[in-house]
Amino acid sequence: MTASVETMSSSPTTVKALTSAKGVEAWHVESDVVPLIAVSFIFEGGSAHDPADKPGVAQMLARLLDEGAGEYDSDAFQERLAAHAIELSFNAGNDALGGSLKTLVKHADEAFELLRVALAEPRFDQDSIERVRAQTIAGLKYQQNDPGVMATRRFFEEGFAGHPYGRPTSGTPESVAAITRDDLIAMHRSIIARGRVKVAVVGAISGDNLSVLLDKVFGSLPDAKPLGIIEPASLQKLGSRIVVDLDVPQSVIRFGMNGIAWRDPGFIPAYVLNHILGGGAFTSRLFQEVREKRGLAYSVGTSLVSYRSASMTWGYTATKNERVVEALDVIADEMAKLTSEGPSDEELQKAKDYLIGSYALGFDTSTKIAHTLAQIAFEGLGIDYIARRNGLVGAVTQADIRRAAERIFGDGRMFTVIAGRPTGV
């Protein structure tokens, strides 16, 4: 039987917590508006658990899960998906390996069976491994001279030196070349397990029918064994600037400072603060001061980065070599002003109004809803988070913003990586 608990009705969508006969837990939104089913799932464990000398295993695993499984080789598996208009994909990040499935209701049995074999019985045929390896290495070599990629990679190498988050999630040409089939099998066994997955399903399927399919896909996976511990980390080298020498007329800049994790009670004020500083596209302070008033850059922005074992505020821009110092000074000045003065009351209200009003836009497709729900479940925010979220944003005060600014900006020191030939740095 299916056990379920319904969330508050004030949510943009009604979510039920479902537990299948075999104990698989999922969040479920039943909707008959269109005859589709969208599934999003996230397994704990990702690139941070790659072997230290072989970064790229988790991402290569994700790319190979739909390259043949069970009785189907790569071509046959893709043909089965195409014949039934089934969309199936996998991805890997630092902390998780996840994926999504979308299918017409009439093809649900076939879609969930293909998902089952992809997760439980990937073939890892050598020809598929070599093809994906070649594609990955070609992509990495193509990016080697990209200033943005080089700046980002150096930022993480230095900012999280000696920590798994400092390793390139896609690997290097050398590390990807060294990955073996045994490495992929070991990673698969360590991550793809029941009890380690968060599942969200949206669409025209009843709870009872979904329960049967969940047991079929996830209920037969092996029990999870403990993953290696990823020690807590914080961004290093605050106050320092590193130049990656490139003979280009424009420097690409990556900068970072302290952050607040999504699971932290102080996250929502930090989220509003980030919107004001650099997350609000055309309305943010950095956009106005760096681009509109001074013409220093075409784009500039910031975002909050929340990992399982670290958090930071991350920013980007690009400008002429001779104006790098000016751009960084403007960014630092705006951070200092927000720390000492805070935003105006009107600025704060406009930010909250936008963040509240735009939230529902993330729920306009079944796939978006499923993805958002799986992320919320993975972060452990509670099934009622969607219903609570706008109230939390609306309740943010000037004092909350000031506290968030003190935690994030602190004494104003940033860690900065510049790819180019900036003058005066």
Side-chain angles (χ1 to χ4, degrees):
M1 294 183 62
T2 300
S4 66
V5 178
E6 190 165 325
T7 64
M8 297 168 58
S9 59
S10 59
S11 169
T13 189
T14 302
V15 189
K16 295 181 180 180
L18 178 153
T19 303
S20 72
K22 291 185 178 180
V24 178
E25 298 179 356
W27 290 359
H28 177 214
V29 176
E30 185 173 357
S31 172
D32 296 322
V33 175
V34 290
L36 290 172
I37 301 171
V39 184
S40 184
F41 50 90
I42 305 175
F43 289 88
E44 183 86 30
S47 298
H49 294 91
D50 283 343
D53 60 341
K54 291 183 181 179
V57 176
Q59 287 214 0
M60 194 167 177
L61 169 62
R63 294 191 63 185
L64 281 161
L65 289 177
D66 64 352
E67 290 282 346
E71 65 183 86
Y72 306 113
D73 65 12
S74 180
D75 289 342
F77 191 89
Q78 293 299 321
E79 287 171 4
R80 296 292 297 181
L81 291 173
H84 297 85
I86 298 166
E87 297 179 13
L88 176 63
S89 63
F90 299 92
N91 58 80
N94 269 314
D95 299 313
L97 188 151
S100 63
L101 172 73
K102 186 165 73 171
T103 180
L104 293 169
V105 171
K106 63 182 180 180
H107 298 317
D109 288 341
E110 174 75 7
F112 277 80
E113 172 60 16
L114 290 172
L115 174 58
R116 183 195 71 80
V117 295
L119 291 174
E121 305 173 27
R123 291 167 63 108
F124 299 127
D125 291 331
Q126 199 62 43
D127 60 338
S128 295
I129 292 174
E130 296 308 324
R131 182 176 63 257
V132 170
R133 187 198 313 278
Q135 292 168 349
T136 303
I137 291 174
L140 290 169
K141 288 183 175 179
Y142 179 78
Q143 295 174 347
Q144 280 182 336
N145 294 317
D146 182 295
V149 173
M150 296 176 73
T152 299
R153 178 161 294 194
R154 187 68 176 273
F155 181 94
F156 281 89
E157 285 177 355
E158 301 283 350
F160 293 100
H163 191 275
Y165 292 157
R167 300 196 294 259
T169 57
S170 297
T172 64
E174 294 75 22
S175 71
V176 172
I179 293 171
T180 66
R181 186 173 188 272
D182 286 344
D183 293 327
L184 296 164
I185 291 172
M187 180 67 74
H188 175 262
R189 287 175 177 168
S190 69
I191 293 178
I192 307 300
R194 61 181 298 170
R196 184 169 286 138
V197 65
K198 301 298 182 183
V199 185
V201 182
V202 178
I205 184 170
S206 69
D208 287 339
N209 289 339
L210 176 58
S211 179
V212 173
L213 294 174
L214 289 174
D215 279 343
K216 178 181 176 182
V217 175
F218 300 103
S220 59
L221 292 174
D223 291 332
K225 296 180 181 179
L227 285 169
I229 296 174
I230 306 301
E231 296 294 338
S234 57
L235 185 63
Q236 303 171 29
K237 299 201 172 182
L238 293 176
S240 65
R241 294 177 179 178
I242 293 176
V243 175
V244 180
D245 183 57
L246 283 176
D247 187 11
V248 290
Q250 179 170 273
S251 288
V252 173
I253 302 169
R254 301 289 183 261
F255 60 92
M257 62 223 76
N258 295 322
I260 297 178
W262 200 1
R263 300 166 296 283
D264 190 298
F267 176 81
I268 290 295
Y271 184 63
V272 177
L273 171 64
N274 179 73
H275 181 84
I276 293 168
L277 173 66
F282 302 108
T283 61
S284 75
R285 285 198 175 192
L286 293 187
F287 187 89
Q288 292 298 319
E289 296 296 329
V290 174
R291 172 176 161 159
E292 293 297 289
K293 291 185 179 179
R294 295 173 177 83
L296 292 170
Y298 180 77
S299 63
V300 59
T302 58
S303 62
L304 299 180
V305 178
S306 179
Y307 297 134
R308 270 290 189 260
S309 299
S311 60
M312 68 173 175
T313 302
W314 154 267
Y316 65 89
T317 192
T319 190
K320 293 179 180 179
N321 288 329
E322 60 270 22
R323 304 197 74 179
V324 166
V325 172
E326 182 183 358
L328 290 173
D329 285 346
V330 172
I331 292 168
D333 286 346
E334 290 307 313
M335 289 164 46
K337 288 177 184 176
L338 283 171
T339 303
S340 62
E341 304 169 9
S344 67
D345 290 341
E346 180 183 11
E347 197 175 15
L348 175 57
Q349 191 59 50
K350 284 183 176 180
K352 295 195 295 183
D353 289 345
Y354 175 83
L355 292 172
I356 290 170
S358 62
Y359 190 50
L361 298 177
F363 300 90
D364 60 348
T365 69
S366 298
T367 299
K368 286 183 182 179
I369 296 170
H371 176 75
T372 300
L373 289 175
Q375 285 288 341
I376 292 170
F378 182 73
E379 294 293 340
L381 300 176
I383 196 170
D384 64 340
Y385 178 81
I386 294 175
R388 293 186 293 110
R389 185 267 191 188
N390 278 351
L392 294 172
V393 172
V396 172
T397 65
Q398 286 282 5
D400 294 329
I401 293 291
R402 194 70 57 85
R403 282 189 291 269
E406 290 172 354
R407 288 183 63 182
I408 293 174
F409 305 143
D411 57 8
R413 293 184 303 154
M414 297 185 291
F415 170 47
T416 307
V417 174
I418 306 149
R421 289 190 175 166
T423 57
V425 176

